[in-house]
Amino acid sequence: MSGRPMPCSPQEIGALFLFEKLEPEQLGRLCAAGRVELFQPGPVYTEGDPATCFYVMIEGTVVLSRRVAGDDVEVTRTSQPGVYSGAMQAYLGDRVRQAYNNSMRVTEPTRFFVLPADTFADIMQDWFPMAVHLLEGLFFGSKNTQAAIGQRERLLALGSLSAGLTHELNNPAAAAVRATSTLRERVAKMRHKLAIIAESPFSREQLAGLIEIQERTAERVAKALTLSPLEASDREDALTDWLEDHGCDNGWQLAPTFVQAGLDVDWLEQVAAAVDEEILPNSIGWLNYTVETELLMNEIEDSTTRISHLVDAAKQYSQLDRAPYRVVDVHELLDSTLLMLSGKIGQDITVVKEYDRTVPAVPGYPAELNQVWTNLIDNAVCAMKDGDGDSGGERGTLTVRTALDHDQLLVEFRDTGSGIAPEIKDRIFDPFFTTKPVGQGTGLGLDISWRIVVNKHHGSMRVESVPGDTRFQVLLPLTAEASETTVETV
């Protein structure tokens, strides 16, 4: 939007704090190269448009806003003469994208001194070469530092995830190895017991009946229900008494295995009816190996399934086989992140999922959204644990909630930690700001999360906190911005 041209007075612009130290010749050059324009209430420039001009307000009222999730959020409103905005990085040239990083509008007739961006860059280079070098160094140095520490933040998170994943994989892998070794031993004993039975005076009908009981036993093991400790103890006592009454001297060793397999006295009576009394103990022992074998195979299946789920979660978390930008189900991303971080969350923290499964999938960068979830969950866990890594004997609760919030998807992380002090609440998204002890945080986790959500996904982040109830909320648009032209749906 262009304003109405007006005369430029060197004395008037020289009274502005930005130019008050300039010489008369310099003020004359500014008036000759720039112009004064009067803008009526309305927009002056729009965020994202090419930054063509540098604006200094002479009189009036300006409002600066940033676009968040498709809405313009006011960040500054002032009537102070001399405030400036626009192409403030023109002196960096084409080394950075020259676009307005906010929108500016005026609420009353307002006069600006307007300087073309290329002229502003030339004047800066001519008049303040040392300042330009210092500003360039500050800009690019800060950018490089932030990128380097941001990379380190990712590596630290990756290291933590790798340690947690290794720990989670080690448990089922070790269980599978132990179960396989025990299974080999039990199968060998089963062969030995079968040889003993074969040498016994079994009739063909008795052997067929015993094999039929073996098959039904395996089926009962697969369908066994979990008993309460009291129920299991009562059944073990009953089975032990029955086995001892029928000549099984090691009944107290067999009973727990039978109870775990869902077997009871009625089942033992069926076995006793199928074979002669003198070979009943060997028959019970043979069937015990059958039960143990089935239980061990169940354990191996559970362990390998657990490993498979962990590998799938790692694959889902890293998104190595997916398009970088696609339509995603946030619940899949949240579940994979929670599983990857389960080792760090630990047993002292209860995870509650309040998912609204009716919410639609959203367009986004899944790997980067997983990084947001990781940062927010990590912060929540740290808030609920002390520096020694435990929760002081009290169980914390992490609640992950999804819901539809008007035309946006809400993902909320709620923890029962100590909360965020009001005096630092406005600073938590600042780069390098951290409340963690020295060496335990870079202060970029929330800054990175903010940039991923706001800048890359055109969403928003907000936080509400009181002691015992802190909520980080991520809002994501349900539809892609027009600039995103390729979205893969899976």
Side-chain angles (χ1 to χ4, degrees), residues 414-427:
R414 177 184 178 187
D415 68 71
T416 57
S418 56
I420 301 171
E423 59 268 20
I424 66 170
K425 184 178 177 182
D426 294 335
R427 300 176 57 198

Side-chain angles (χ1 to χ4, degrees), residues 28-144:
R29 179 179 174 182
L30 284 177
C31 270
R35 59 190 183 274
V36 172
E37 293 186 10
L38 175 64
F39 288 81
Q40 297 300 320
V44 178
Y45 63 74
T46 303
E47 180 179 348
D49 288 348
T52 58
C53 294
F54 178 69
Y55 295 86
V56 183
M57 189 184 75
I58 300 174
E59 62 177 352
T61 301
V62 299
V63 177
L64 299 181
S65 60
R66 293 291 305 272
R67 185 179 299 118
V68 179
D71 297 325
D72 286 331
V73 179
E74 182 177 321
V75 293
T76 301
R77 179 185 293 258
T78 181
S79 299
Q80 180 183 357
V83 294
Y84 53 90
S85 188
M88 293 185 294
Q89 296 175 346
Y91 60 88
L92 296 174
D94 56 8
R95 285 174 292 177
V96 298
R97 179 171 175 263
Q98 295 294 336
Y100 294 120
N101 60 11
N102 54 32
S103 296
M104 183 167 71
R105 61 187 175 90
V106 296
T107 58
E108 61 177 324
T110 302
R111 285 192 304 137
F112 289 96
F113 173 70
V114 183
L115 198 61
D118 53 354
T119 303
F120 174 56
D122 291 340
I123 288 177
M124 288 288 291
Q125 296 287 351
D126 290 346
W127 293 353
F128 314 108
M130 182 176 178
V132 167
H133 288 306
L134 290 172
L135 289 171
E136 288 177 345
L138 178 63
F139 178 83
F140 290 110
S142 176
K143 190 174 182 181
N144 292 337

Side-chain angles (χ1 to χ4, degrees), residues 310-344:
L310 286 167
V311 172
D312 287 343
K315 184 178 178 182
Q316 172 72 26
Y317 180 86
S318 63
Q319 296 290 317
L320 292 177
D321 63 337
R322 304 295 181 94
Y325 188 81
R326 65 183 182 92
V327 173
V328 296
D329 180 352
V330 294
H331 302 118
E332 293 181 359
L333 305 184
L334 291 168
D335 286 341
S336 67
T337 304
L338 287 168
L339 185 55
M340 291 290 288
L341 292 173
S342 58
K344 185 164 190 175

